[in-house]
Amino acid sequence: MRASQLFFPTLREIPAEAELASHRLLLRGGFIRKLSAGVYSYLPLGYKVIKKVEKIIREETDAAGGQELLMPALQPAELWQETNRWEVDTLFKLKDRADRWHALGMTHEEVITDIVRHDVRSYRELPLNLYQIQTKFRDEPRPRGGVIRGREFIMLDSYTFDRNDEELDLSYRKMRAAFARSFARCGIDFLIVEAESGAIGGKDNQEFTVITPAGEDSILHCKECDYAANAERCEVADRGYEPSNEPAKPIQAVDTPGAKTVEQVTGFLKTKPENLVKTLIYVADGKPIAALVRGDRELNEAKFSRNLDIYKLEMAGPELILELTGAEVGFSGPVGLKGVRIVADYEVRSMANFVTGANKTDTHYVNVNIGRDFNVDEWADIKVASDQDPCPRCEGVLQAERGIEVGHIFKLGTKYSEAMGATFLDEDGKEKPFIMGCYGLGVSRMLAAVSEARRDDDGIIWPVSIAPFEVVILLLNPLDEAQAAAAVRIYEELQNRGIDVLLDERDERSGVKFKDADLIGIPVQVVVGRLASEGKVEMRLRWDKQNKREVALNEATDEIAAAVQAEKRKLLDEADKYTV
RNA sequence: CGGGGUGUAGCGCAGCUUGGCUAGCGCGCCUGCUUUGGGAGCAGGAGGUCGAGAGUUCAAAUCUCUCCACCCCGACCA
């Protein structure tokens, strides 16, 4: 491709709407343009990257036994009603001319299960892995970061159907390896973390997360044993939380007028949130329950429910809190609390002389102590994990990091097959529901994740595998005949070798060409300038621009091709670390 | 949905507090000449419903009200 013919509107100035570096660079480099909040066009450069990512994930998913198909984005409401997901609030809904409701597909468990329940009857047809790469629609409450979280985005979604849990486990491990290999080939470091399954449901699930401060997910990672989990899921060991040996001071009620939040109370009492115990009143399966966590911690409702076998958990309303505690919201505490089961986070055990609500409006207790002032019915892991918490798998300590979720894989089990009556006839002659798995990879989000992870002050640094071009030739002075001839010669030779090359022969000053090449992040740069008259060109790599090499024109094509191959090889070697 | 912020030329911004003459600046864009190793110089030029609507006023980008869009934080997140 010749740059003079290529539509790549680069911007000199930073668009005001973009906060994240990746978002700014994608806009400035002419990769994407916004249509409305969370809805983006992929311009030629951006779409080239997407197509290269798609090629990689197709190859890897095919290698894992996947077969590509394409399902409709427009789906009848009845299908979603079968699995009780019609009410999911991020589902885009619309009516047709006959007043019938439809959804725009946010994910395709329903459609794929519908196909399979009609057309797969026997265990002999299993295992089955069907996938597609398609545009998804989700009415996100808050789109953000450009293509990081859009309302319309491109995703690979794969679905596996197996006879039993062992077979599902194999399908799952194959897809996990396929995803890991895909991300490695796209040149990014990632962590595989334990996660919550959300509305997709199912049992085991893991996320692929690119660690970067700009990420929207909070991740806890143990450096000792490689345990990694999303904060929404992460467990905390009951270790190091010994009862305090600090002498107990006399409990005392103090007036805290109007102080309801932790900040207000601790500010008023001139103490710190670490010195307060929050008492959160819930209704668990119809019974009141109090959850105690340290003032600067958050309750993790998912863990709370799971670890206490709660099926339905709801926060208590103001009336119920008044009835149970005798006080307004904000003044609940464990001391003297009757008829409410008290569950405390492990961490609370090591606290002494702390602050709690006094179950009396505008009053708190100070110097509260466990055992003397109240008793805990049960200790449990119920807080949102945070930095420096004890690792649940080893003796290590968890570290907090931020990450962008680029893939999420689930063992669904029979959640959808049972709800939709999707069964097969097994070897033993019995009708059984399919054991399903599903695997999602955010294709358009990869633009953001890779450019966030691989960049410098000048622009993006694409890996050669998904760069919009593998090589850019900077023809500095197109009017100089020796330069022009040399550039065109290398351009044509590289094209003949199947290398994706951009020839920048625009009538622009050299500075413009250098800036643009850096901004759009082509990995191999070939500078054709004054040295052309001596039969030489200059070669350098985007991430190591100072390190230029002069190459004889006759050898240039070989050298450049070798550099491209070497970079590709590195990425494949990285991918080969992952196996089933 | 709660909190904060922003809407003025393709992009980045000033002007608004204290209403007033033809709405400015930089970049980009068009034409010509010169220039060509890190976002060129000179000269000329095009480009605006000041987010929308209503109101106050002799007069509104500027004051008031309503609405809309977008961004950030939170909630949420398949």
Side-chain angles (χ1 to χ4, degrees), chain A residues 426-439:
Chain A
D426 206 352
E427 205 171 1
D428 57 10
K430 287 184 182 155
E431 196 88 2
K432 294 177 185 171
F434 292 101
I435 312 294
M436 292 174 60
C438 78
Y439 317 87

Side-chain angles (χ1 to χ4, degrees), chain A residues 286-555:
Chain A
K287 291 180 189 158
I289 188 167
L292 272 50
V293 295
R294 209 171 85 173
D296 56 335
R297 307 301 194 198
E298 267 179 276
L299 180 74
N300 183 328
E301 292 188 7
K303 281 205 305 193
F304 187 48
S305 299
R306 192 163 44 238
N307 292 343
L308 290 151
D309 290 320
I310 294 165
Y311 177 72
K312 190 174 180 214
L313 183 72
E314 288 174 294
M315 206 148 193
E319 305 81 20
L320 184 59
I321 288 177
L322 185 63
E323 185 190 321
L324 291 168
T325 70
E328 287 176 21
V329 175
F331 303 96
S332 305
V335 180
L337 192 59
K338 299 221 167 53
V340 180
R341 183 179 171 202
I342 296 178
V343 179
D345 186 73
Y346 294 139
E347 187 179 40
V348 172
R349 188 165 43 213
S350 61
M351 297 174 67
N353 297 319
F354 47 83
V355 178
T356 71
N359 297 323
K360 183 180 168 193
T361 300
D362 291 340
T363 310
H364 279 80
Y365 284 126
V366 297
N367 299 328
V368 176
N369 286 283
I370 301 159
R372 183 191 70 182
D373 302 321
F374 71 97
N375 286 306
V376 170
D377 295 316
E378 189 165 354
W379 297 98
D381 171 22
I382 60 172
K383 69 165 184 174
V384 175
S386 45
D387 197 44
Q388 302 303 315
D389 280 345
C391 174
R393 299 282 183 273
C394 74
E395 296 299 306
V397 166
L398 297 170
Q399 270 189 298
E401 295 180 279
R402 303 288 297 178
I404 300 173
E405 175 190 346
V406 286
H408 201 162
I409 59 178
F410 304 80
K411 287 185 181 176
L412 296 174
T414 57
K415 174 174 168 156
Y416 294 90
S417 49
E418 276 185 359
M420 296 179 65
T423 58
F424 66 99
L425 206 55
D426 206 352
E427 205 171 1
D428 57 10
K430 287 184 182 155
E431 196 88 2
K432 294 177 185 171
F434 292 101
I435 312 294
M436 292 174 60
C438 78
Y439 317 87
L441 189 156
V443 176
S444 46
R445 183 177 279 181
M446 284 291 283
L447 278 180
V450 177
S451 56
E452 189 66 44
R454 302 182 51 125
R455 61 187 161 82
D456 61 18
D457 290 344
D458 295 320
I460 304 172
I461 304 173
W462 294 108
V464 72
S465 54
I466 60 171
F469 293 94
E470 293 167 331
V471 177
V472 59
I473 300 169
L474 304 175
L475 170 52
L476 297 190
N477 185 355
L479 301 177
D480 180 299
E481 284 179 22
Q483 290 186 30
V488 169
R489 174 180 162 186
I490 297 169
Y491 175 61
E492 288 175 350
E493 287 176 357
L494 287 172
Q495 279 190 321
N496 289 338
R497 296 206 194 184
I499 287 174
D500 194 9
V501 54
L502 177 68
L503 172 62
D504 193 349
E505 31 55 299
R506 292 176 297 169
D507 181 23
E508 291 284 355
R509 315 258 314 169
S510 56
V512 174
K513 297 179 190 184
F514 284 117
K515 290 288 185 191
D516 276 346
D518 289 349
L519 179 61
I520 67 177
I522 317 265
V524 180
Q525 300 181 345
V526 179
V527 182
V528 181
R530 289 189 193 112
L531 293 173
S533 60
E534 303 165 29
K536 287 184 195 162
V537 298
E538 219 170 81
M539 195 180 108
R540 58 192 193 179
L541 299 175
R542 169 63 181 84
W543 50 89
D544 187 19
K545 286 182 291 182
Q546 307 315 316
N547 193 4
K548 338 177 182 183
R549 276 178 55 203
E550 288 182 13
V551 181
L553 184 53
N554 287 332
E555 294 159 15

